[in-house]
């Protein structure tokens, strides 16, 4: 089973940027569709973005389109989330996971520990 480790979170002012990374174990990373989810305090975990195994297809929740960019480097077994023009409502713990499909997929397997993103106003 693939193991996932998220890094790159932190405290940033509104309008700032962060880049999250998701490092995966195993030799079949390129065959997995992957996704980022987030969970804000007191709220349910929600989908943010997904990417196909090849990296050619991506999908975003409307609230992050144009500000967040998902990408992957299969040679490094790593997925990224470039976060620009951050807003206080982006504050959450961000998790990466496998997903069943790029569009409206369901999470598969286990979750990592997550990485905290805090955006101050």
């Amino acid at each position: 089973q693939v193991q996932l480790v998220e890094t790159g979170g932190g405290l940033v002012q509104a309008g700032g940027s962060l880049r999250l990374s998701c490092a995966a174990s195993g030799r079949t990373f390129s065959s997995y569709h992957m996704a980022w989810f987030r969970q804000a305090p007191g709220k349910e975990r929600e989908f943010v973005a997904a990417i196909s195994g090849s990296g050619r297809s991506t999908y975003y929740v409307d609230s992050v389109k144009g500000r967040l960019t998902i990408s992957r480097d299969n040679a490094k077994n790593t997925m990224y989330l470039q976060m620009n023009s951050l807003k206080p409502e982006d504050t959450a713990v961000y998790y990466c996971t496998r997903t069943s499909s790029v569009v409206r997929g369901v999470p598969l397997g286990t979750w990592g520990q997550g990485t905290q993103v805090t955006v101050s106003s």
Side-chain angles (χ1 to χ4, degrees):
Q1 191 167 0
V2 63
Q3 301 296 317
L4 303 168
V5 178
E6 303 95 337
T7 58
L11 172 63
V12 64
Q13 289 187 332
S17 298
L18 285 172
R19 188 174 83 154
L20 307 184
S21 297
C22 170
S25 64
R27 294 178 289 180
T28 57
F29 179 69
S30 62
S31 66
Y32 301 147
H33 301 319
M34 297 292 296
W36 287 99
F37 284 73
R38 66 187 179 186
Q39 188 167 20
K43 295 187 177 181
E44 293 187 355
R45 194 171 299 183
E46 66 170 355
F47 169 82
V48 176
I51 188 167
S52 62
S54 67
R56 287 192 291 268
S57 298
T58 58
Y59 182 72
Y60 299 89
V61 67
D62 285 346
S63 60
V64 307
K65 285 181 180 177
R67 301 188 299 115
L68 275 57
T69 303
I70 190 171
S71 63
R72 65 192 297 162
D73 185 338
N74 288 338
K76 296 182 179 180
N77 274 20
T78 302
M79 177 178 66
Y80 304 98
L81 187 66
Q82 178 65 44
M83 311 174 73
N84 298 329
S85 301
L86 282 163
K87 303 177 180 180
E89 51 263 44
D90 294 317
T91 295
V93 178
Y94 284 72
Y95 301 89
C96 62
T97 188
R98 290 178 57 197
T99 182
S100 60
S101 63
V102 176
V103 179
R104 298 187 181 89
V106 295
L108 301 173
T110 59
W111 298 91
Q113 84 288 349
T115 186
Q116 176 71 50
V117 172
T118 303
V119 184
S120 63
S121 58

